[in-house]
mmCIF file with all atom_site columns, all heavy atoms in Angstrom:
data_model
loop_
_atom_site.group_PDB
_atom_site.id
_atom_site.type_symbol
_atom_site.label_atom_id
_atom_site.label_alt_id
_atom_site.label_comp_id
_atom_site.label_asym_id
_atom_site.label_entity_id
_atom_site.label_seq_id
_atom_site.pdbx_PDB_ins_code
_atom_site.Cartn_x
_atom_site.Cartn_y
_atom_site.Cartn_z
_atom_site.occupancy
_atom_site.B_iso_or_equiv
_atom_site.pdbx_formal_charge
_atom_site.auth_seq_id
_atom_site.auth_comp_id
_atom_site.auth_asym_id
_atom_site.auth_atom_id
_atom_site.pdbx_PDB_model_num
ATOM 1  N N   . GLU A 1 488 ? -53.798 -53.380 -103.903 1.00 87.00 ? 488 GLU A N   1
ATOM 2  C CA  . GLU A 1 488 ? -53.248 -54.507 -103.126 1.00 87.00 ? 488 GLU A CA  1
ATOM 3  C C   . GLU A 1 488 ? -52.640 -55.569 -104.027 1.00 87.00 ? 488 GLU A C   1
ATOM 4  O O   . GLU A 1 488 ? -51.656 -56.214 -103.673 1.00 87.00 ? 488 GLU A O   1
ATOM 5  C CB  . GLU A 1 488 ? -54.409 -55.148 -102.317 1.00 87.00 ? 488 GLU A CB  1
ATOM 6  C CG  . GLU A 1 488 ? -53.918 -56.161 -101.301 1.00 87.00 ? 488 GLU A CG  1
ATOM 7  C CD  . GLU A 1 488 ? -54.986 -56.600 -100.366 1.00 87.00 ? 488 GLU A CD  1
ATOM 8  O OE1 . GLU A 1 488 ? -56.086 -55.969 -100.348 1.00 87.00 ? 488 GLU A OE1 1
ATOM 9  O OE2 . GLU A 1 488 ? -54.742 -57.558 -99.584  1.00 87.00 ? 488 GLU A OE2 1
ATOM 10 N N   . GLU A 1 489 ? -53.210 -55.773 -105.223 1.00 88.00 ? 489 GLU A N   1
ATOM 11 C CA  . GLU A 1 489 ? -52.652 -56.812 -106.112 1.00 88.00 ? 489 GLU A CA  1
ATOM 12 C C   . GLU A 1 489 ? -51.234 -56.434 -106.611 1.00 88.00 ? 489 GLU A C   1
ATOM 13 O O   . GLU A 1 489 ? -50.479 -57.312 -107.073 1.00 88.00 ? 489 GLU A O   1
ATOM 14 C CB  . GLU A 1 489 ? -53.557 -57.018 -107.336 1.00 88.00 ? 489 GLU A CB  1
ATOM 15 C CG  . GLU A 1 489 ? -53.802 -55.781 -108.193 1.00 88.00 ? 489 GLU A CG  1
ATOM 16 C CD  . GLU A 1 489 ? -54.984 -54.975 -107.741 1.00 88.00 ? 489 GLU A CD  1
ATOM 17 O OE1 . GLU A 1 489 ? -55.443 -55.130 -106.597 1.00 88.00 ? 489 GLU A OE1 1
ATOM 18 O OE2 . GLU A 1 489 ? -55.484 -54.147 -108.539 1.00 88.00 ? 489 GLU A OE2 1
ATOM 19 N N   . ALA A 1 490 ? -50.826 -55.137 -106.470 1.00 87.00 ? 490 ALA A N   1
ATOM 20 C CA  . ALA A 1 490 ? -49.506 -54.714 -106.939 1.00 87.00 ? 490 ALA A CA  1
ATOM 21 C C   . ALA A 1 490 ? -48.446 -54.843 -105.840 1.00 87.00 ? 490 ALA A C   1
ATOM 22 O O   . ALA A 1 490 ? -47.246 -54.754 -106.110 1.00 87.00 ? 490 ALA A O   1
ATOM 23 C CB  . ALA A 1 490 ? -49.558 -53.290 -107.441 1.00 87.00 ? 490 ALA A CB  1
ATOM 24 N N   . TRP A 1 491 ? -48.861 -55.074 -104.606 1.00 89.00 ? 491 TRP A N   1
ATOM 25 C CA  . TRP A 1 491 ? -47.930 -55.092 -103.476 1.00 89.00 ? 491 TRP A CA  1
ATOM 26 C C   . TRP A 1 491 ? -46.751 -56.089 -103.672 1.00 89.00 ? 491 TRP A C   1
ATOM 27 O O   . TRP A 1 491 ? -45.627 -55.758 -103.413 1.00 89.00 ? 491 TRP A O   1
ATOM 28 C CB  . TRP A 1 491 ? -48.624 -55.332 -102.142 1.00 89.00 ? 491 TRP A CB  1
ATOM 29 C CG  . TRP A 1 491 ? -49.594 -54.271 -101.743 1.00 89.00 ? 491 TRP A CG  1
ATOM 30 C CD1 . TRP A 1 491 ? -49.801 -53.063 -102.402 1.00 89.00 ? 491 TRP A CD1 1
ATOM 31 C CD2 . TRP A 1 491 ? -50.450 -54.234 -100.588 1.00 89.00 ? 491 TRP A CD2 1
ATOM 32 N NE1 . TRP A 1 491 ? -50.742 -52.315 -101.746 1.00 89.00 ? 491 TRP A NE1 1
ATOM 33 C CE2 . TRP A 1 491 ? -51.165 -53.015 -100.652 1.00 89.00 ? 491 TRP A CE2 1
ATOM 34 C CE3 . TRP A 1 491 ? -50.646 -55.101 -99.549  1.00 89.00 ? 491 TRP A CE3 1
ATOM 35 C CZ2 . TRP A 1 491 ? -52.078 -52.663 -99.637  1.00 89.00 ? 491 TRP A CZ2 1
ATOM 36 C CZ3 . TRP A 1 491 ? -51.578 -54.769 -98.576  1.00 89.00 ? 491 TRP A CZ3 1
ATOM 37 C CH2 . TRP A 1 491 ? -52.269 -53.568 -98.598  1.00 89.00 ? 491 TRP A CH2 1
ATOM 38 N N   . PRO A 1 492 ? -47.079 -57.342 -104.096 1.00 88.00 ? 492 PRO A N   1
ATOM 39 C CA  . PRO A 1 492 ? -45.954 -58.269 -104.217 1.00 88.00 ? 492 PRO A CA  1
ATOM 40 C C   . PRO A 1 492 ? -44.923 -57.864 -105.222 1.00 88.00 ? 492 PRO A C   1
ATOM 41 O O   . PRO A 1 492 ? -43.726 -58.267 -105.116 1.00 88.00 ? 492 PRO A O   1
ATOM 42 C CB  . PRO A 1 492 ? -46.673 -59.603 -104.657 1.00 88.00 ? 492 PRO A CB  1
ATOM 43 C CG  . PRO A 1 492 ? -48.075 -59.414 -104.230 1.00 88.00 ? 492 PRO A CG  1
ATOM 44 C CD  . PRO A 1 492 ? -48.358 -57.986 -104.388 1.00 88.00 ? 492 PRO A CD  1
ATOM 45 N N   . GLU A 1 493 ? -45.295 -57.065 -106.230 1.00 89.00 ? 493 GLU A N   1
ATOM 46 C CA  . GLU A 1 493 ? -44.337 -56.649 -107.249 1.00 89.00 ? 493 GLU A CA  1
ATOM 47 C C   . GLU A 1 493 ? -43.475 -55.460 -106.780 1.00 89.00 ? 493 GLU A C   1
ATOM 48 O O   . GLU A 1 493 ? -42.400 -55.187 -107.351 1.00 89.00 ? 493 GLU A O   1
ATOM 49 C CB  . GLU A 1 493 ? -45.069 -56.180 -108.504 1.00 89.00 ? 493 GLU A CB  1
ATOM 50 C CG  . GLU A 1 493 ? -46.000 -57.252 -109.083 1.00 89.00 ? 493 GLU A CG  1
ATOM 51 C CD  . GLU A 1 493 ? -46.896 -56.680 -110.169 1.00 89.00 ? 493 GLU A CD  1
ATOM 52 O OE1 . GLU A 1 493 ? -46.658 -55.540 -110.599 1.00 89.00 ? 493 GLU A OE1 1
ATOM 53 O OE2 . GLU A 1 493 ? -47.834 -57.366 -110.594 1.00 89.00 ? 493 GLU A OE2 1
ATOM 54 N N   . ILE A 1 494 ? -43.883 -54.769 -105.744 1.00 89.00 ? 494 ILE A N   1
ATOM 55 C CA  . ILE A 1 494 ? -43.158 -53.571 -105.265 1.00 89.00 ? 494 ILE A CA  1
ATOM 56 C C   . ILE A 1 494 ? -42.147 -54.020 -104.196 1.00 89.00 ? 494 ILE A C   1
ATOM 57 O O   . ILE A 1 494 ? -42.461 -54.017 -102.968 1.00 89.00 ? 494 ILE A O   1
ATOM 58 C CB  . ILE A 1 494 ? -44.124 -52.498 -104.706 1.00 89.00 ? 494 ILE A CB  1
ATOM 59 C CG1 . ILE A 1 494 ? -45.180 -52.163 -105.742 1.00 89.00 ? 494 ILE A CG1 1
ATOM 60 C CG2 . ILE A 1 494 ? -43.337 -51.266 -104.295 1.00 89.00 ? 494 ILE A CG2 1
ATOM 61 C CD1 . ILE A 1 494 ? -46.263 -51.241 -105.263 1.00 89.00 ? 494 ILE A CD1 1
#
Side-chain angles (χ1 to χ4, degrees):
E488 189 171 351
E489 60 271 17
W491 295 358
E493 303 170 11
I494 305 174

